[in-house]
Amino acid sequence: SSSERKNLIIDGTGGASKPLLKKKQELENLGYKCLMLMIYVSPLTSLERNQGRDRSLMPSIILRTWRDVNQNINIYKQEFKDNFILINNDPEGATKTFSPELTAPFFQASKAKGKPKTPEEIAKSKADKKQLNKDIENMVKNLPEFTTMEDAKSKINEFIS
């Protein structure tokens, strides 16, 4: 019975909504209640934090993941309804804007290297990068509505009681 079940937390980026929502449905079918706590930071904060890690990823991977995760916010809001919390975890004074010029230093400083590419792959990569930059520029102009800390605490307390 569900009263014998242990609570569980699933940690992930949320970059792919289908597997996450499938897992949510499976858990609900087993009698679990689901809540999603999503943490937002701007693309530049993501790049800064990546750069500070021992095992950092290529900046292009960070930006692609940022876009994929943040494109799913509305899907998650829709699916989790009142059990969706979005916290803005950008530090005070973080750069909220985005442009390829602002990201250039991260690409230059990155020690991570991709595999060599054919001319076709280089052309596709340039087109993908242009689209990625355009997507992110549009997304940071329309920031989602964040949950206040007060509302987040209240939702979590209600959820666990």
Side-chain angles (χ1 to χ4, degrees):
S1 80
S2 61
S3 63
E4 296 165 8
R5 297 191 197 291
K6 299 282 184 221
N7 292 330
L8 64 119
I9 294 175
I10 299 171
D11 180 19
T13 63
S17 63
K18 282 192 174 79
L20 190 147
L21 295 175
K22 183 178 182 226
K23 179 64 64 191
K24 174 186 182 288
Q25 190 58 60
E26 290 169 354
L27 289 167
E28 287 173 345
N29 291 346
L30 291 170
Y32 285 96
K33 294 186 304 179
C34 296
L35 175 136
M36 182 171 199
L37 172 62
M38 190 171 188
I39 307 298
Y40 174 93
V41 295
S42 65
L44 290 180
T45 299
S46 293
L47 288 168
E48 286 166 5
R49 289 182 180 170
N50 177 62
Q51 200 173 41
R53 290 189 186 111
D54 289 338
R55 292 177 28 220
S56 62
L57 297 169
M58 292 189 333
S60 56
I61 294 171
I62 297 300
L63 292 175
R64 199 172 38 236
T65 302
W66 187 94
R67 177 194 58 192
D68 295 349
V69 168
N70 287 280
Q71 277 179 338
N72 289 331
I73 289 173
N74 287 333
I75 295 168
Y76 294 141
K77 271 186 181 172
Q78 219 176 318
E79 293 295 321
F80 283 87
K81 298 178 179 45
D82 283 346
N83 286 339
F84 179 79
I85 299 170
L86 180 63
I87 300 292
N88 185 349
N89 198 33
D90 251 347
E92 212 45 53
T95 305
K96 304 275 188 241
T97 56
F98 178 84
S99 72
E101 295 75 33
L102 289 171
T103 65
F106 296 100
F107 282 89
Q108 289 152 6
S110 176
K111 290 163 189 59
K113 295 287 172 245
K115 61 180 177 36
K117 292 183 170 132
T118 65
E120 294 80 19
E121 289 172 325
I122 291 170
K124 184 184 180 327
S125 184
K126 277 187 179 172
D128 289 349
K129 186 177 178 182
K130 191 175 177 182
Q131 184 62 52
L132 176 66
N133 286 333
K134 199 174 133 189
D135 290 346
I136 294 175
E137 281 176 31
N138 289 331
M139 291 169 78
V140 296
K141 286 178 191 160
N142 302 298
L143 288 181
E145 194 179 317
F146 298 111
T147 311
T148 65
M149 277 302 179
E150 196 176 307
D151 284 351
K153 286 176 186 170
S154 157
K155 284 182 177 199
I156 291 169
N157 283 331
E158 195 177 303
F159 183 80
I160 58 176
S161 59

